[in-house]
Amino acid sequence: MGRKGKKIQQDDWESEVDAIAQENAESAYDGVALESLFAQLLAAGVVSESDYDRATDELASGVKSERQLMLEWEKKTCRKDEAATADQQAAELGSSGNLKDESAAPSDDALSETMQQSERHIEAWRRAAKSDPMQLPLARMTAVCLSGTYGVSTHADRNVRLWDSATGRRLGAHQHKLELTACCAREECVAVGDAAGTVHIYDTESEFVPLRLTGGSGAVRSIELLRVEGGTLVLGSGEATLTAWFTNTDGSPASRAVPLNFALKGLHLSAGPSGCVYGASRSLVTLYDLNASAAAWRAGGGEWPVTEPVWRGCWAASTVASVVDAFPGSTACVPSRPLSYSPFWKLLASAHDEAVALWDVRAAPEQGPAAVVRAAGGSAWVHLDEGQGMAGHLLIAPQAGGCVQLYDVRRLSASRGASAVHAIVTLEVPPSEGAVCFAAKSSTLVVGGVKCSEAWRYDGVQSQKPEGASNQEPRTTPPARSKPKRQVSTAGRRMFNRTK
C-alpha cells in the first residue's frame, strides 16, 4: 500500500474513433465530386485532359485528398477565368481600336449626383475668378506643374523651384547651366528637360539634387512620367525623336536612353491609362501602350521593340479654318503644354493652330473630335480636369497672351466645326506682354509667364487664408526692388543648389 502505483492513462477512444472516421471519409474516393468538377472545367475549356490525369494520380497515390484537390483546382480555375477575361478585353481593344469604358452605366441617382457635384465645382471656379489672387514670388516662369501638396516651376534664369502649393512657401531650388524647356511632376518625382536634350530627375522626398539622364536629341519639348512595373518610365520628346529612360524603384542609376523612333515631328505627351501615353503632333493624336514594350526592353535590352499606336485620330481638313505649321523651323524651343487627358471624363484635349479639339477616346477615332473650341490667337497651354472633383472644365491659355478661359465640357457637344463657344469663367493673369503658362488642380490655378514679375494663385475652394499668407490686390506695376531675405537651410535638405 505504501508504494505508488503507476498512473493509468485513460484512452480517449471517442476522439480516436472520430479521427479515424474523418480520415476514412477523406481518403475514401468514389470520384463523383471531382469528376463532376473536371467535367465542367473541361467543357468550359479551362483545363485539359492532362490536368485531370494529374489530379487523379495525386488522389490515387494518397498525396492529396479529394477535398484538397477540389479547393486547389477551384482557385486555379478562378485565376484562369480572370486572365481569360482580361485577354478577351485586350483582344476587343486591339480589334476595334477603341478604349472601352469598364465602369457600368450609372443610375439616374448617381448621374444626378454627378451633375450636382459638377455644378458646385464650376461655381467654385466662378468664386475663384471673383476673388483676389494670392501673389507668389515666382518671377519669369516658363513652365509650372501641380502635384499633391507641392508645385514645381522652371524659370528664365535656368532655375527649377519647388514650393508649397497652398502657401507658395519655398521648399527647394536648383540652378542649371542651360535653358529649361519642359517640366513634369508625378507624386514625389519631378522631371525637367533642357535645351541640350538632357532630362533631370528630382525626388521631392529627399535632398533636392537632380539625377541626370543623357542621350536625348535636341531640346526637350515635352516630358511625361509613367509608372510601370519596377520603376518609372521617363519619356522625353525632342524635335523629331522620342527617348525613353527607366529609373528603378530602389534608386539605382537609370538605364540608358533608347530612341523610340515614332517618326512624329514636335511630339507632345500626356499620360493616359496605366502604362499608356498620348501623343500629339500637329493635327495627329495617338495613344501608345508601353507596358509590354517596356517589359520586353528591360528583359532583353538592346533596341526598343516596335510600338504601334492602339488609338489614332486626325483632324478633318474642314475642322480648322487655316492649317499652319505649329512648329516652324526654329531652333528655339518655347515651353508649352497643348495636350491634356482626363481619366474620369475619358476626354483628350489637343490644341492646334487656333482650335482645341476634344476627343472622346471611347469612340472610334474616325468619327473625329467630339467638340472643337476656337481659341483666338492660338493656344499653347490647355488643361482638362482629372475628374477628382468632377468639375468638367477645360482651361485654355491663348498663345498670343491674355486671360485664361474656362469652358464647361458638357456645353461643347454642339460645337463641332470650331463654332464660337463662350467661356463661362475668365481668370485674369499677372501683367505681361506675352504668353502665359499655368497649372490647375480641382479649382486651384497657378498662372504666370516669362515676362511676369510674379505668379498668381486662384483658389475657389479655400474658405480661409492659409497661415502666413495674404491675398492682396493684384499689382499693375512691378514691385519695388528690395533686398532678398537669406534662405536658411534645414537638416537633410539644401534650400538652393547650383549645377557644377
Side-chain angles (χ1 to χ4, degrees):
M1 295 296 296
R3 291 187 307 172
K4 293 182 179 180
K6 293 183 179 180
K7 185 177 180 180
I8 300 175
Q9 185 177 0
Q10 299 293 332
D11 293 334
D12 190 0
W13 61 271
E14 294 180 342
S15 299
E16 289 182 3
V17 169
D18 292 338
I20 293 172
Q22 179 69 17
E23 182 179 355
N24 292 336
E26 291 182 353
S27 60
Y29 169 59
D30 56 5
V32 175
L34 192 62
E35 286 180 358
S36 176
L37 173 64
F38 268 88
Q40 298 175 6
L41 300 178
L42 288 169
V46 180
V47 298
S48 62
E49 291 288 345
S50 60
D51 294 330
Y52 177 59
D53 294 338
R54 191 182 310 114
T56 54
D57 291 341
E58 291 176 346
L59 184 64
S61 61
V63 175
K64 295 179 181 178
S65 65
E66 184 180 12
R67 180 179 300 178
Q68 290 174 335
L69 286 170
M70 295 275 292
L71 294 175
E72 177 183 348
W73 281 101
E74 286 176 354
K75 292 180 180 179
K76 286 183 179 181
T77 53
C78 180
R79 288 194 294 267
K80 288 183 179 181
D81 285 337
E82 293 175 355
T85 302
D87 292 340
Q88 182 180 2
Q89 292 176 351
E92 292 176 355
L93 173 62
S95 60
S96 63
N98 301 333
L99 288 178
K100 297 182 182 292
D101 188 4
E102 297 178 358
S103 60
S107 62
D108 292 341
D109 293 340
L111 184 60
S112 175
E113 177 64 21
T114 299
M115 297 293 288
Q116 292 176 9
Q117 291 189 32
S118 181
E119 287 294 340
R120 285 196 292 267
H121 284 85
I122 291 293
E123 184 60 31
W125 276 108
R126 293 191 177 98
R127 291 196 303 269
K130 295 177 182 178
S131 63
D132 297 331
M134 179 192 301
Q135 299 170 4
L136 302 180
L138 301 172
R140 305 181 65 193
M141 191 166 62
T142 58
V144 59
C145 293
L146 294 176
S147 180
T149 60
Y150 71 87
V152 62
S153 55
T154 59
H155 301 263
D157 57 1
R158 305 186 306 279
N159 273 318
V160 54
R161 292 184 170 89
L162 182 71
W163 34 274
D164 186 281
S165 62
T167 65
R169 183 174 61 90
R170 178 179 170 180
L171 302 176
H174 192 101
Q175 189 176 44
H176 293 259
K177 290 183 178 181
L178 301 177
E179 177 188 3
L180 301 176
T181 56
C183 75
C184 180
R186 300 284 180 191
E187 299 176 354
E188 73 280 356
C189 185
V190 173
V192 296
D194 62 25
T198 302
V199 174
H200 308 266
I201 302 295
Y202 293 87
D203 185 356
T204 61
E205 299 299 321
S206 62
E207 194 172 8
F208 202 63
V209 178
L211 168 67
R212 295 183 186 178
L213 307 179
T214 59
S217 175
V220 179
R221 184 179 301 277
S222 181
I223 293 180
E224 195 51 77
L225 301 169
L226 299 181
R227 294 294 185 184
V228 293
E229 183 178 357
T232 301
L233 192 64
V234 184
L235 302 176
S237 172
E239 182 62 26
T241 60
L242 180 62
T243 306
W245 296 267
F246 186 85
T247 59
N248 297 315
T249 305
D250 57 5
S252 58
S255 303
R256 67 182 182 88
V258 177
L260 303 191
N261 298 323
F262 285 171
L264 295 176
K265 183 179 180 182
L267 187 66
H268 287 272
L269 307 172
S270 180
S274 178
C276 300
V277 64
Y278 284 99
S281 178
R282 299 173 182 165
S283 60
L284 178 67
V285 289
T286 52
L287 173 64
Y288 296 93
D289 187 348
L290 302 181
N291 286 293
S293 298
W297 173 55
R298 290 189 61 201
E303 297 298 326
W304 186 276
V306 176
T307 305
E308 296 294 336
V310 297
W311 189 90
R312 181 188 181 97
C314 189
W315 297 39
S318 59
T319 302
V320 183
S322 59
V323 179
V324 181
D325 188 355
F327 309 105
S330 172
T331 56
C333 181
V334 179
S336 61
R337 191 172 295 128
L339 189 66
S340 178
Y341 173 68
S342 173
F344 178 82
W345 296 102
K346 300 293 190 298
L347 287 175
L348 178 69
S350 173
H352 173 59
D353 194 22
E354 292 189 348
V356 178
L358 287 176
W359 297 84
D360 184 351
V361 298
R362 295 165 296 185
E366 294 80 10
Q367 298 178 7
V372 178
V373 180
R374 176 69 64 188
S379 54
W381 293 78
V382 299
H383 172 78
L384 276 170
D385 74 291
E386 297 84 358
Q388 296 173 350
M390 292 183 285
H393 62 263
L394 167 67
L395 288 169
I396 299 177
Q399 190 172 7
C403 303
V404 176
Q405 305 287 337
L406 184 142
Y407 300 84
D408 188 346
V409 298
R410 298 167 303 167
R411 305 181 186 183
L412 302 178
S413 59
S415 62
R416 301 176 68 93
S419 61
V421 178
H422 298 287
I424 60 174
V425 175
T426 299
L427 298 113
E428 300 292 333
V429 300
S432 65
E433 299 176 355
V436 298
C437 59
F438 71 84
K441 182 180 64 175
S442 187
S443 60
T444 300
L445 173 74
V446 175
V447 59
V450 69
K451 296 184 178 181
C452 300
S453 60
E454 61 189 1
W456 287 356
R457 179 184 182 275
Y458 290 94
D459 192 349
V461 174
Q462 184 175 318
S463 58
Q464 58 183 2
K465 302 175 184 178
E467 185 178 355
S470 61
N471 285 1
Q472 305 174 9
E473 290 293 333
R475 300 194 191 107
T476 56
T477 57
R481 291 182 175 272
S482 59
K483 185 177 180 180
K485 295 182 180 180
R486 183 179 180 183
Q487 295 287 348
V488 181
S489 61
T490 58
R493 180 188 291 274
R494 274 184 269 173
M495 296 300 292
F496 187 85
N497 299 298
R498 186 183 298 274
T499 301
K500 298 181 180 179

